[in-house]
Amino acid sequence: MINMPKGTKDVLPQDSYKWQYVEKKAREVAKVFGALEIRTPTFEHTEVFLRGVGETTDIVNKEMYTFNDKGGRSITLKPEGTAGVVRSFVENGLANSALPAKLFYITQCFRYERPQAGRLREFHQFGVEFLGAKNADMDAEVILLAKSFIESVGIDKVSLYLNSIGCKDCRKTYQDALKEYLNAKHDKLCPLCQERLNKNPLRVLDCKNDDCKEITANAPKILDFICEDCSNHFEKVKELLTLAGVEYKINPNIVRGLDYYTRTVFEFVSENIGAQGTVCGGGRYDGLVAQLGGNDMPGIGFAVGIERILMLLENTKKQIENPNKIKVYFAPMGEEEGKKAFELASRLRQNGISADFDHMGRGIKSQFKYADKIGAAFVGVIGSDELTNGVVKMKDMAGGTETAVKFEEIIEFLK
Ligand code: HAM
């Protein structure tokens, strides 16, 4: 037997309806916000992520699945959705059509991380990227979209954390102040943060190491450093969220693990799934389009981890209805009856009603067992009496009642 690679998961037939449920909700919510689907390749030229996600990030440094293809090009399986979408937006000249461009995607992503509950090497994201609008109402709208999705799948006890990391100018002033503060405590930082200190000091702020956390608790706060424009933008985002009745908490330590962010950053965190509680992360990225070769153009988006959503649904024991169950399973008692079962099932299927019948030559008892296993709503018994009288004995599997239904009235009965 060959096992699946570490950090991957099969979605088995008995569970796939849960994925379909979450994906359907994502599409519904995207639609009401006017977002259209974009599908980009599973792999990109590595450069897209080096330039997009950033060379100092953990994702680029440690987690990418990168290889040379047979033509000697460096290729990377997408570790996230944003950079590829922005690459496509630029390459296909989408900036020339209606702006803002409101895009969404459901995609698999690949990161070479240490697998644990809620952290996989192949995982899936529902994400949106809204490009072209710089106003704060776009930030509020994107946050509302994420919240609507999370609520629509039936998840509660999720908190929204908000921060602004300023623009590239005011961030520079902050970075200098932070560096100075952290340099004085250099020896007490974990080895990784000692490295981060020079390359990307902001990343020290979301280190999970206890010593680092203690140090950063008293570090200078970015919100005290952002410029007037960034500050006004952030105030407006907060005002609009309050107007929409959205509760949030300011967390100055949210810096996010990707380099493209500017101004608003946010996360939705659940209290119900422990260490990997962040179900959604996002923010504004006003420099990314230009960084990937396009015009100077603002953008903002988020991505939700679908596996984490499913984990939460599991933990909170939320019942999801399985719409894929067969409506009627015909149980014929002989060869002639089998032909009738074949004919009736075909007619129902042509009319969009799911139907099945015995393919294994089983006895009636085993047929009922099978029907029960696949969750058929009705079992239609056809014996010689039924065949003579032109009826099927329809057993309602939930209620237990039996009704003799004429062959020509089955569609009506099942509708
Ligand atoms: P991210 O925070 O790296 O952001 O990922 C977004 C979400 O994907 C996380 O909150 C988490 O739910 C899920 N996720 C991340 N890594 C894993 C993993 N190894 N296993 C399972 N789930 C995971 C981004 O990817 C940005 N592109 C979001 C964005 C879009 N920002 C702007 N636009």
Side-chain angles (χ1 to χ4, degrees), residues 284-341:
R284 184 166 270 289
Y285 45 83
D286 290 346
L288 183 59
V289 179
Q291 208 147 339
L292 288 173
N295 293 332
D296 192 13
M297 162 116 17
I300 178 164
F302 70 78
V304 179
I306 297 184
E307 282 83 355
R308 291 193 190 172
I309 292 283
L310 287 167
M311 241 172 95
L312 272 176
L313 291 174
E314 203 73 36
N315 287 2
T316 50
K317 304 225 169 351
K318 158 126 181 110
Q319 292 295 317
I320 302 171
E321 205 201 325
N322 183 351
N324 299 333
K325 289 187 178 160
I326 285 282
K327 187 85 186 211
V328 58
Y329 176 82
F330 291 107
M333 306 230 260
E335 203 174 321
E336 282 311 304
E337 292 87 343
K339 285 186 200 160
K340 187 43 98 182

Side-chain angles (χ1 to χ4, degrees), residues 26 35 38 52 68 81 95 97 128 143 158 183 192 198 215 221 280 309 324 328 415:
I38 183 163
N68 283 341
S97 36
V128 314
I143 292 170
V158 171
N183 260 328
L192 191 61
N198 290 317
I215 293 171
K221 300 283 177 265
C280 170
I309 292 283
N324 299 333
V328 58
K415 269 185 180 161

Side-chain angles (χ1 to χ4, degrees), residues 38-302:
I38 183 163
R39 299 187 189 201
T40 65
T42 304
F43 55 86
E44 296 276 352
H45 291 296
T46 302
E47 174 118 19
V48 169
F49 305 112
L50 295 186
R51 279 209 254 163
V53 175
E55 300 197 30
T56 62
T57 60
D58 284 354
I59 293 180
V60 166
N61 277 318
K62 299 192 230 150
E63 297 167 3
M64 293 206 306
Y65 280 88
T66 298
F67 57 95
N68 283 341
D69 70 7
K70 290 189 170 38
R73 301 166 200 93
S74 180
I75 294 292
T76 295
L77 303 185
K78 56 172 133 171
E80 56 102 53
T82 314
V85 167
V86 171
R87 191 269 313 139
S88 172
F89 175 83
V90 173
E91 185 169 347
N92 293 293
L94 296 187
N96 301 324
S97 36
L99 287 179
K102 293 180 153 191
L103 311 170
F104 84 89
Y105 50 87
I106 296 172
T107 186
Q108 63 272 68
C109 299
F110 305 87
R111 294 184 194 175
Y112 193 80
E113 295 197 80
R114 197 141 44 87
Q116 60 181 81
R119 200 205 278 157
L120 293 144
R121 290 184 174 169
E122 181 184 23
F123 62 98
H124 297 75
Q125 288 186 339
F126 159 52
V128 314
E129 312 298 347
F130 285 7
L131 292 137
K134 64 175 179 2
N135 291 350
D137 51 25
M138 196 45 110
D139 305 42
E141 177 166 316
V142 163
I143 292 170
L144 268 172
L145 201 167
K147 185 173 155 58
S148 300
F149 168 70
I150 293 167
E151 283 172 356
S152 81
V153 290
I155 288 171
D156 53 10
K157 299 213 176 70
V158 171
S159 308
L160 166 62
Y161 293 95
L162 209 58
N163 191 19
S164 171
I165 56 168
C167 59
K168 65 178 188 316
D169 299 328
C170 53
R171 192 154 64 237
K172 175 86 186 54
T173 326
Y174 174 65
Q175 266 174 344
D176 291 345
L178 183 63
K179 245 187 194 168
E180 197 183 319
Y181 170 84
L182 293 174
N183 260 328
K185 314 195 181 301
H186 177 275
D187 295 348
K188 291 196 184 119
L189 292 170
C190 75
L192 191 61
C193 282
Q194 292 182 356
E195 236 178 82
R196 285 171 173 155
L197 185 52
N198 290 317
K199 289 192 202 151
N200 192 349
L202 254 66
R203 298 283 291 125
V204 177
L205 294 177
D206 66 359
C207 180
K208 304 285 178 283
N209 178 296
D210 284 341
D211 290 338
C212 297
K213 272 207 241 172
E214 209 181 301
I215 293 171
T216 53
N218 297 317
K221 300 283 177 265
I222 191 150
L223 291 174
D224 297 329
F225 286 78
I226 59 176
C227 64
E228 202 180 333
D229 277 356
C230 287
S231 176
N232 289 341
H233 183 93
F234 195 47
E235 287 307 313
K236 190 95 183 278
V237 175
K238 291 192 287 181
E239 186 190 330
L240 289 170
L241 288 176
T242 305
L243 200 68
V246 177
E247 283 178 27
Y248 58 83
K249 295 171 194 148
I250 303 295
N251 180 351
N253 282 1
I254 291 185
V255 290
R256 314 270 305 125
L258 305 97
D259 274 357
Y260 46 63
Y261 291 112
T262 53
R263 295 194 163 173
T264 316
V265 286
F266 60 93
E267 287 180 353
F268 284 89
V269 182
S270 159
E271 299 152 23
N272 282 331
I273 47 171
Q276 305 304 316
T278 310
V279 290
C280 170
R284 184 166 270 289
Y285 45 83
D286 290 346
L288 183 59
V289 179
Q291 208 147 339
L292 288 173
N295 293 332
D296 192 13
M297 162 116 17
I300 178 164
F302 70 78

